[in-house]
Every structure is written in C-alpha cells, then in structure tokens.
Amino acid sequence: MKIVMLGAPGAGKGTQAKKIAEKYGIPHISTGDIFRANIKGGTELGKKAKAYMDEGKLVPDDVTIGMLLDRISEADCAGGYVLDGFPRTIPQAESLTEALRKRGEKLDYAIDVNVPDASIVTRMAGRRACLACGATYHIVYNAPKTEGVCDSCGEKLVLRDDDKPETVQKRLTVYHDQTQPLFQYYEQAGILKTVDGTQDLNQVFSDIVAILGA
Ligand code: AP5
Ligand code: MG
Ligand code: ZN
C-alpha cells in the first residue's frame, strides 16, 4: 500500500502517518524528519535545508525530489510506505508519479487531514518533537508519559525551530500557494480522500482505517 498524507502544517500528518505505519507494517517516510535528522547530524544536506526551513520556506525541489526517490528505492519500501510531507509541490507530485510509472506502480491513496488555519497556530505552540525518532507529542492533546521525554526512544523532546507563531503563519501561506494545487492533482487521479482532522486523534485514525481497510 502506497499512501501520501496531505494537509496543512500541524494538521496531524505525522501523528497519523506513524499510526498507519504501525498498523499496516510499512515505513513512515517524512521529508521533514529526514531534513531535521540531517540538521542534527550537521551534514551538508542539513545545512542547506536549515536556511529554508527556519524561514518557513520549502527546500528546493532539486534537493528534495532526489532524496525522496532514493529513499523509496530502499528495500524496506518494497511492500509500500506512507509519505508524510512529500509531495508538496506539483513538480514533486509529477516526479513521484513518473518514477512509480516507470516501475509499473502507482499510489493507492492521498489522504487529506483537513484542519482550518485557525486551529493550527494553537496546536503548534503545544507541540513537542523528538528529533531522534520523529515522534510528535502535544502538551495537552497527546502528552508523553514523562514530561519532556520521548515514549518511544527516551530522547529529550524539543519545540521545533519553525514552530514560532510568525514562522507557522509563513508555512501556512506557503502551503496555500504551493501545496494546495495537489488536491486537484490527486482528485483527478481519483485517489483523494478527506478526513476531518479537527476530531480527537484516535477518531481521525478510525476514519483513516475505514478508508484503507482494517
Ligand atoms: P514538515 O516536517 O513536513 O512540517 P509540516 O508539513 O509543516 O507539518 P508538521 O510536521 O509541522 O505537522 P504535521 O501535519 O506532521 O502535524 P503533527 O502530527 O506534528 O516540514 C518542515 C519543513 O521542512 C517545511 O517547512 C520545509 O521547509 C521542509 N520540507 C519538508 N518536506 C518538504 C518537501 N517535500 N519539499 C520542500 N520542503 C520540504 O501534529 C501537530 C500537533 O498537533 C502535534 O503537537 C500533535 O500532537 C497535535 N495533534 C495531532 N493531531 C491532533 C488532533 N487530532 N487533535 C489535537 N491535537 C493533535
Ligand atoms: Mg510532521
Ligand atoms: Zn523518540
């Protein structure tokens, strides 16, 4: 099963993608997590990405597309995957479609986790992230068992550099300008499904399972 998660910054793509990955036994691939791991590791890719991310801008397609296509060529992706944060431009979506077409494959679902902008800024302020394993928490809606510590791997949780309210606002603008056209793209491909992302996160997941099949 090959799934793409769509939705605004903070809609809950990462939260749901992790649950999908666990239930269906497929890898969760987040381009944002890959960039953050590279920043943490001080790599050249990380240095390049950080400047864009801190400003709420997209990392250029020429960097992002190759990185993602390499990742989905790895052995653990043979049985499918859930992509989180990719594609987020039309050229990214087209490159993915084309790369899959060459292998005689295609995406099964594009799931839009729908949350209005007004709810996003509050959510982000309460988010805590694990830069080691990509897990995401919320101080009220999805608190870790021990404050400030990742349940999955025990690392320290942090507030992401791009979760400042001004930067969140910029990310929302970029999302509406550059990522929203993907809805029409996947609607035309006949694979777009929308879930109400303002519900409790377990209810959002039930709605997704109803789409994917139990
Ligand atoms: P990325 O890491 O993808 O960030 P994003 O799209 O802005 O999305 P977020 O990770 O902020 O939100 P999310 O939807 O995953 O929400 P979450 O589950 O955490 O990208 C970061 C940057 O990297 C980009 O700005 C760009 O610069 C660069 N980048 C990445 N991919 C790129 C690409 N393809 N091309 C170019 N550049 C790229 O949930 C949010 C919070 O809400 C959490 O605290 C969570 O616990 C809570 N929550 C979740 N669900 C619920 C619920 N139902 N009710 C209440 N709270 C909830
Ligand atoms: Mg995320
Ligand atoms: Zn962790």
Side-chain angles (χ1 to χ4, degrees), residues 5-18 28 30-36 39 49-61 63-65 67-68 84-89 92 113 115 119-120 122-129 134-143 160 162-163 167-168 170-172 174-175 178-179 196-205:
M5 302 301 289
L6 299 175
K13 300 180 297 295
T15 302
Q16 298 301 328
K18 252 200 146 52
H28 165 207
S30 157
T31 39
D33 286 353
I34 299 174
F35 288 135
R36 282 185 289 277
I39 292 172
K50 186 171 170 39
Y52 295 97
M53 291 171 74
D54 283 353
E55 287 199 29
K57 292 180 185 161
L58 296 184
V59 179
D61 283 345
V63 176
T64 310
I65 291 171
M67 178 184 87
L68 187 279
D84 158 19
F86 186 101
R88 60 212 293 162
T89 64
Q92 290 182 14
V113 183
V115 176
S119 318
I120 298 284
T122 355
R123 267 198 198 183
M124 299 301 227
R127 170 161 65 184
R128 295 296 178 271
T136 298
Y137 302 88
H138 190 282
I139 52 176
V140 178
Y141 307 121
N142 185 22
R160 263 169 49 181
D162 59 349
D163 279 352
T167 314
V168 171
K170 278 193 213 146
R171 286 160 62 200
L172 282 168
V174 167
Y175 172 74
Q178 302 197 50
T179 306
D196 176 1
T198 63
Q199 308 171 93
D200 171 83
L201 56 92
N202 293 310
Q203 186 56 49
V204 178
F205 187 58

Side-chain angles (χ1 to χ4, degrees), residues 1-206:
M1 189 150 53
K2 298 186 191 65
I3 305 164
V4 159
M5 302 301 289
L6 299 175
K13 300 180 297 295
T15 302
Q16 298 301 328
K18 252 200 146 52
K19 292 166 86 69
I20 293 170
E22 275 164 30
K23 179 171 171 69
Y24 298 95
I26 51 178
H28 165 207
I29 300 172
S30 157
T31 39
D33 286 353
I34 299 174
F35 288 135
R36 282 185 289 277
N38 275 277
I39 292 172
K40 195 166 183 248
T43 69
E44 280 308 310
L45 174 66
K47 279 176 202 150
K48 208 164 184 179
K50 186 171 170 39
Y52 295 97
M53 291 171 74
D54 283 353
E55 287 199 29
K57 292 180 185 161
L58 296 184
V59 179
D61 283 345
D62 60 347
V63 176
T64 310
I65 291 171
M67 178 184 87
L68 187 279
L69 295 183
D70 285 349
R71 177 65 188 88
I72 62 171
S73 304
E74 287 174 28
D76 64 332
C77 290
Y81 37 78
V82 51
L83 301 185
D84 158 19
F86 186 101
R88 60 212 293 162
T89 64
I90 289 286
Q92 290 182 14
E94 287 173 343
S95 304
L96 178 60
T97 302
E98 182 55 19
L100 291 173
R101 195 191 58 77
K102 282 186 184 151
R103 306 181 203 169
E105 299 174 354
K106 58 183 184 54
L107 290 173
D108 297 296
Y109 298 100
I111 299 177
D112 166 29
V113 183
N114 192 270
V115 176
D117 288 9
S119 318
I120 298 284
V121 182
T122 355
R123 267 198 198 183
M124 299 301 227
R127 170 161 65 184
R128 295 296 178 271
C130 175
L131 299 183
C133 78
T136 298
Y137 302 88
H138 190 282
I139 52 176
V140 178
Y141 307 121
N142 185 22
K145 290 192 184 82
T146 310
E147 196 189 317
V149 178
C150 179
D151 289 350
S152 318
C153 76
E155 279 273 325
K156 206 169 92 209
L157 300 176
V158 298
L159 184 67
R160 263 169 49 181
D161 286 342
D162 59 349
D163 279 352
K164 296 190 298 262
E166 322 80 89
T167 314
V168 171
Q169 205 52 60
K170 278 193 213 146
R171 286 160 62 200
L172 282 168
T173 305
V174 167
Y175 172 74
H176 291 301
D177 290 348
Q178 302 197 50
T179 306
Q180 211 118 355
L182 295 181
F183 288 92
Q184 206 192 344
Y185 182 87
Y186 287 120
E187 176 81 72
Q188 278 169 3
I191 60 168
L192 181 68
K193 306 281 176 190
T194 301
V195 295
D196 176 1
T198 63
Q199 308 171 93
D200 171 83
L201 56 92
N202 293 310
Q203 186 56 49
V204 178
F205 187 58
S206 303

